[in-house]
Amino acid sequence: MYTETAAILTFTSKMASLTKHGSVVCLLVLGVLSTPAASVYTLTDSGGLGARFDGVGGLSGGGATSRLLVSYPEPYRSQILDYLFKPNFGAALQILKVEIGGDAQSTDGSEPSHMHSAADRNYTRGYEWWLMREAKKRNPAVRLYALPWAFPGWVGGGEAFPYHRPETTAGYIVDWILGAKSVHNLDIDYVGIWNERIHDVTYIKTLRKTLDDNKLGHVNIVAPDGGWVQISKDIMADPELAAAVDVIGSHYPGTHSPPMAQQTGKTLWSSEDFSTINNGTGASCWARILNQNYVNGHMTSTIAWNLIASYYDDLPFPRSGLMTANQPWSGHYEVSDPIWVTAHTTHFTSPGWQYLKGVGHLDGGGSYVALTDGKEGLTIVIEAMTHQYSQCVRPLLPPYEVKPGQAATFQLGGAFENITRLHVWYSKLIGDRTVHFQSQDDKIVSGGKFSMEVAENCLYTLTTVKEAPPKIYPKSPASAPFPLPYKDKFDGPADSSEAPYFADQTGVFELYVNESSSDHSHTLRQNITERPIVWCNDADSTISVIGDYNWSNVTVSCDLMVESGGGAFVAARVDRGGCGVSQARGVFFWLLEDDANNWAVSSDIDRNDILGQGKVNATIVGQWHKLSIFAKGDSIAGSLNGKVLFDITDVELPSKKGFAAIGTLGLQKVQFDNFSVDKAK
């Protein structure tokens, strides 16, 4: 029962906060307004500590989720990277997980392999190398974790399966790790098996041996990057496998791990989680699972898919990153709510800290974790996220209740009993007046005890770690649509092998120096000639999209040269990408090596719906041609080298708007130059 003095102190504290912030937000008070006694939670290191904390991470890949980031102009690109990786600034991420590109679609695009063929090695393709360097530049202690989604076709030796030749596949992965070190001075800390696909015991053992044979014993294996059950059974039954696997990594575990996984004695991670739109609800999802993955499932690391939503909004899972940066042409980016949720943990802990054993659920709903550095340092993170506002995209969240304004008393013991004050940070994630990672007056601890009111949908950190409020950059430039007209000659400098703003969906389009042509000395070249071991349904034709999904009335033009057979296209109104790209609709204008009809226009990428076709007297292979496609309302037209080949009106098109695109008929090398898109006139 609270005394009258406590009630007065409670009222005074609330009124002070009202004056300071303009509304009642997530308050920490000496007492509470409710009459029932507060629940008491004991935090002590007496009797030992819990598991080692391994860090909070973000995932770039799975796939092409950071595609547009590399094209941002300065200073905005550096600002974004600071928000992700700079210690004590924004998210201050402790793990960066990246895709080992496999030349195939892996969710929002295709990422290039370092080995298109067995004889090919190139450790500068793509942007993951650049991203890892930038993360390390800001935080040398950040851990690096790599995982393949797809594999180039040669790895399978004629089989669409990476375990057919385990030594070859292990050598391919180890080659990537060695390239990271030799070319970029990057030490990879963790490597996975095959994202969300069946694991193979022989391959895991072979990978461990191959790592060790190449003096990479420090690289830890995470398996299977999928489910818990089969890998746990295999580890329990096979001591050699148990010695090879360092971490059991599960995806979207719903904060729970099965007893068998815990019985293996292995470190448990949620090695991919979140996948939720980064609004207040998404941030609340993130806050809840960061705590409860350990409370419920004994997982010591949680990694968000994805790191940053730097891909077009109309590709799958829009804005499912910790923040959003998908307008490099304008410089606009958004520091989304999950960034500040992450800061509640990462600013006041480091990998190597340990959880206290006495962590768990609040009696009125929500959870609390406590971690220590082993030197009397203490960080407590408390969340009270309601069921309605903290649902992740998956899995289904069972019903539960969170009581508003629940009273909590924390009793500190052991090495912490002499703590006299704790620094306080709070966030309110849902409601009219949200608050993000704001400091509050220190919490006074008396006799090793303090009390507080835990408000629903609020997040609190109480810590011995002293930190000044983080500085933030000025607001980024205003959002703006993709600029029209737009042109690219593919001759500018780049920090990636890919052309700015192009998002490969099937195949790999790389900047290329063409020494055989003075008119087309710098081009964009599609380089994949063998079907990869795919992760999802790549299209039979390669395709790279660009621009604004809302484009309807546009003219798209590009010079192209088919090197050795097949064909190529330019397209408008392409209605989809990602793993559904094989079903893409739009207006596709084809130039083909075909004796009967060497041009065609179709409304689908598979050319099942031909709108027009014909024959022109032109050499297709080895010659440069200019293709232009015009779409306005229900009318379409196309020209080859300035000559109109078709002009169709009142056509029934399944796609009324979409991206511009270029691509090839199949897996063959084609070069592109002088790309342009403009409003149809």
Side-chain angles (χ1 to χ4, degrees):
M1 186 70 67
Y2 288 101
T3 65
E4 182 177 357
T5 301
I8 293 171
L9 288 171
T10 299
F11 178 78
T12 302
S13 178
K14 282 185 174 286
M15 291 305 295
S17 184
L18 278 168
T19 302
K20 182 177 181 180
H21 300 293
S23 65
V24 177
V25 290
C26 306
L27 298 164
L28 292 177
V29 296
L30 295 177
V32 292
L33 294 178
S34 55
T35 55
S39 298
V40 179
Y41 309 95
T42 300
L43 299 175
T44 181
D45 60 353
S46 298
L49 296 171
R52 169 196 162 98
F53 170 67
D54 290 316
V56 179
L59 200 172
S60 172
T65 53
S66 304
R67 175 65 194 92
L68 297 174
L69 175 59
V70 71
S71 298
Y72 262 79
E74 295 292 356
Y76 310 114
R77 189 172 73 170
S78 289
Q79 292 174 5
I80 295 164
L81 291 163
D82 285 351
Y83 277 118
L84 293 171
F85 299 113
K86 188 175 180 180
N88 306 115
F89 188 81
L93 290 168
Q94 297 153 329
I95 298 174
L96 170 59
K97 182 177 180 181
V98 302
E99 177 176 353
I100 298 175
D103 293 340
Q105 173 65 239
S106 52
T107 296
D108 284 286
S110 172
E111 298 202 30
S113 170
H114 63 293
M115 296 177 70
H116 293 325
S117 68
D120 171 51
R121 282 173 175 78
N122 186 323
Y123 307 104
T124 61
R125 292 189 182 116
Y127 40 84
E128 303 294 5
W129 314 102
W130 165 82
L131 184 61
M132 288 187 286
R133 293 197 311 268
E134 293 295 327
K136 279 286 188 181
K137 186 188 301 183
R138 287 158 175 80
N139 178 10
V142 71
R143 310 293 180 88
L144 299 178
Y145 172 8
L147 173 69
W149 268 248
F151 299 83
W154 66 268
V155 170
E159 300 286 337
F161 195 61
Y163 306 142
H164 177 61
R165 301 189 299 174
E167 292 83 3
T168 299
T169 303
Y172 165 78
I173 295 298
V174 168
D175 189 271
W176 187 93
I177 296 172
L178 291 171
K181 180 63 175 178
S182 63
V183 176
H184 304 282
N185 196 30
L186 294 168
D187 291 307
I188 304 303
D189 300 287
Y190 304 95
V191 65
I193 307 304
W194 188 14
N195 182 73
E196 295 175 356
R197 296 296 180 262
I198 187 172
H199 67 273
D200 181 85
V201 170
T202 298
Y203 171 69
I204 295 173
K205 295 176 183 178
T206 303
L207 178 60
R208 178 72 273 162
K209 182 179 185 303
T210 309
L211 288 166
D212 294 343
D213 289 347
N214 285 274
K215 299 180 181 180
L216 295 170
H218 65 279
V219 179
N220 294 280
I221 291 179
V222 182
D225 272 299
W228 296 112
V229 176
Q230 189 59 51
I231 191 68
S232 299
K233 289 180 179 178
D234 291 342
I235 286 173
M236 296 286 278
D238 188 336
E240 185 182 355
L241 178 65
V245 175
D246 299 280
V247 177
I248 299 179
S250 178
H251 289 191
Y252 309 98
T255 76
H256 293 276
S257 61
M260 181 178 289
Q262 299 180 30
Q263 290 164 10
T264 65
K266 292 296 177 182
T267 297
L268 307 181
W269 284 9
S270 178
S271 55
E272 184 178 322
D273 220 324
F274 181 59
S275 288
T276 304
I277 293 176
N278 53 25
N279 56 15
T281 297
S284 298
C285 150
W286 186 231
R288 178 176 54 79
I289 64 177
L290 281 179
N291 266 21
Q292 295 195 30
N293 275 347
Y294 183 76
V295 169
N296 299 335
H298 210 66
M299 288 166 268
T300 56
S301 176
T302 299
I303 298 174
W305 187 90
N306 53 68
L307 171 74
I308 183 166
S310 226
Y311 48 97
Y312 292 114
D313 270 345
D314 292 282
L315 292 173
F317 299 96
R319 296 175 178 257
S320 292
L322 297 178
M323 62 182 288
T324 299
N326 58 8
Q327 287 191 8
W329 50 87
S330 71
H332 177 75
Y333 64 86
E334 300 169 19
V335 185
S336 308
D337 294 0
I339 289 290
W340 304 116
V341 166
T342 311
H344 272 272
T345 297
T346 57
H347 283 220
F348 312 107
T349 63
S350 296
W353 282 47
Q354 286 183 270
Y355 287 97
L356 272 59
K357 289 183 175 179
V359 301
H361 293 276
L362 300 171
D363 291 341
S367 65
Y368 65 99
V369 296
L371 303 97
T372 181
D373 61 357
K375 303 174 184 178
E376 301 183 5
L378 178 67
T379 291
I380 307 164
V381 184
I382 304 166
E383 59 82 20
M385 303 305 149
T386 61
H387 182 273
Q388 179 182 2
Y389 294 113
S390 70
Q391 297 188 52
C392 306
V393 71
R394 59 183 178 269
L396 179 68
L397 182 61
Y400 67 88
E401 292 185 3
V402 172
K403 294 180 180 179
Q406 58 181 303
T409 294
F410 288 86
Q411 179 67 60
L412 308 183
F416 316 117
E417 62 185 7
N418 294 322
I419 291 174
T420 59
R421 66 175 58 233
L422 292 167
H423 311 300
V424 179
W425 296 81
Y426 71 91
S427 293
K428 181 183 180 185
L429 301 175
I430 299 294
D432 294 335
R433 292 183 174 88
T434 57
V435 177
H436 299 126
F437 197 57
Q438 295 294 313
S439 61
Q440 197 175 33
D441 293 340
D442 286 355
K443 169 62 62 177
I444 303 302
V445 182
S446 178
K449 182 184 295 186
F450 67 90
S451 296
M452 60 182 288
E453 178 184 342
V454 180
E456 60 185 359
N457 296 314
C458 291
L459 177 64
Y460 309 85
T461 298
L462 299 95
T463 181
T464 56
V465 178
K466 180 68 174 177
E467 177 179 308
K471 296 179 181 179
I472 61 174
Y473 289 115
K475 193 173 182 179
S476 70
S479 174
F482 196 102
L484 285 179
Y486 178 76
K487 297 181 180 180
D488 196 338
K489 295 183 177 181
F490 306 124
D491 57 1
D495 289 317
S496 168
S497 62
E498 297 157 289
Y501 310 163
F502 278 89
D504 301 349
Q505 299 301 306
T506 295
V508 172
F509 295 72
E510 298 174 307
L511 295 171
Y512 178 68
V513 177
N514 182 3
E515 297 179 349
S516 64
S517 172
S518 58
D519 293 332
H520 302 280
S521 59
H522 290 79
T523 66
L524 188 66
R525 188 192 204 194
Q526 199 295 118
N527 273 322
I528 304 306
T529 59
E530 182 179 6
R531 184 167 176 81
I533 301 171
V534 299
W535 186 76
C536 63
N537 295 323
D538 284 32
D540 291 333
S541 297
T542 72
I543 179 172
S544 187
V545 303
I546 187 172
D548 190 330
Y549 184 83
N550 292 308
W551 282 345
S552 178
N553 301 326
V554 293
T555 297
V556 184
S557 299
C558 194
D559 298 345
L560 59 86
M561 190 265 287
V562 178
E563 293 188 17
S564 58
F569 68 82
V570 297
R573 297 184 180 176
V574 176
D575 69 349
R576 75 195 68 188
C579 290
V581 69
S582 62
Q583 304 299 314
R585 312 285 286 184
V587 184
F588 297 82
F589 179 23
W590 303 82
L591 187 64
L592 307 166
E593 185 190 27
D594 189 306
D595 291 337
N597 296 291
N598 56 12
W599 70 265
V601 56
S602 67
S603 64
D604 65 326
I605 195 171
D606 282 340
R607 296 188 302 139
N608 291 321
D609 187 4
I610 299 294
L611 305 174
Q613 58 188 353
K615 179 75 175 176
V616 291
N617 185 20
T619 301
I620 304 304
V621 175
Q623 298 292 321
W624 282 93
H625 299 282
K626 183 180 185 65
L627 268 68
S628 297
I629 181 73
F630 166 94
K632 186 175 184 180
D634 293 328
S635 298
I636 59 173
S639 64
L640 174 66
N641 302 324
K643 178 181 178 181
V644 175
L645 296 185
F646 63 90
D647 189 347
I648 307 172
T649 59
D650 298 324
V651 63
E652 289 291 332
L653 295 173
S655 177
K656 302 299 183 183
K657 62 180 182 179
F659 299 110
I662 56 175
T664 69
L665 175 63
L667 299 176
Q668 64 259 169
K669 293 185 177 181
V670 175
Q671 294 183 51
F672 301 86
D673 198 5
N674 298 321
F675 174 85
S676 67
V677 58
D678 200 356
K679 295 178 182 179
K681 299 175 182 177

